[in-house]
Amino acid sequence: MNMSELKALIKDVPDFPKKGIIFKDITPLLADPKGFDAVIDGLIAPFKQAGITVVAGVESRGFLLAPAMAARLGAGIVPLRKKGKLPRKVHSASYDLEYGTDSIEAHADAFAKGSKVLLVDDVLATGGTAAAAISLIEALGGNLVGSAFLIELSFLNGRKKLDGRNIHSLLTY
Ligand code: AMP
């Protein structure tokens, strides 16, 4: 499947979850066998020889991508979760929302010494979530090799917030 065929399986939902946002609904793409296969292949393509040991997925939609990517790379997965979900000692990183802040958490011992980490999420928008995820991974001793996004909303300049990082996005708008 080429990129425009993949894009055709993503549905734009205007004014969700609030007015002014065009939500990218990836569920039809994930439900398509050939589409899902192409997505997972495309996301891992630059990292196949990178010796990735764990794929860190951001809750919630990063969880739909990380396991299949990890299985193909021969890696494990680490869930980067919303506040209060993990049962043991955690480390958190906060990021700004339109109103207030939110945070993501990982177990303090989530990344084994020397682990080589690939971060994944469905959408790179303003970059706040990814910047927090990267700071969390690095604070816990993970060695971030790169970040993979199914969709990059380039007009929001999220890439700028992740300056100097190895960023791979499959579909750009
Ligand atoms: P940001 O922190 O602004 O880069 O936002 C990224 C996070 O918000 C990702 O975890 C996405 O799942 C979600 N997100 C932001 N904008 C959209 C959008 N237009 N459609 C779907 N998800 C989005």
Side-chain angles (χ1 to χ4, degrees), residues 16 36 70 74 82 96 116 121 142 162:
F16 183 89
F36 184 60
K82 291 186 173 148
D96 290 329
K116 294 174 97 175
D121 203 358
L162 314 177

Side-chain angles (χ1 to χ4, degrees), residues 60-81:
S60 302
R61 286 180 297 277
F63 290 2
L64 300 172
L65 302 168
M69 291 166 65
R72 266 182 219 186
L73 289 169
I77 55 167
V78 168
L80 304 181
R81 298 220 56 183

Side-chain angles (χ1 to χ4, degrees), residues 3 11 14 25 39 51 65 80-82 91 119 123 132 159:
M3 297 302 142
K11 301 295 171 211
D25 177 22
V39 162
L65 302 168
L80 304 181
R81 298 220 56 183
K82 291 186 173 148
H91 194 90
L119 173 69
V123 176
R159 201 172 265 267

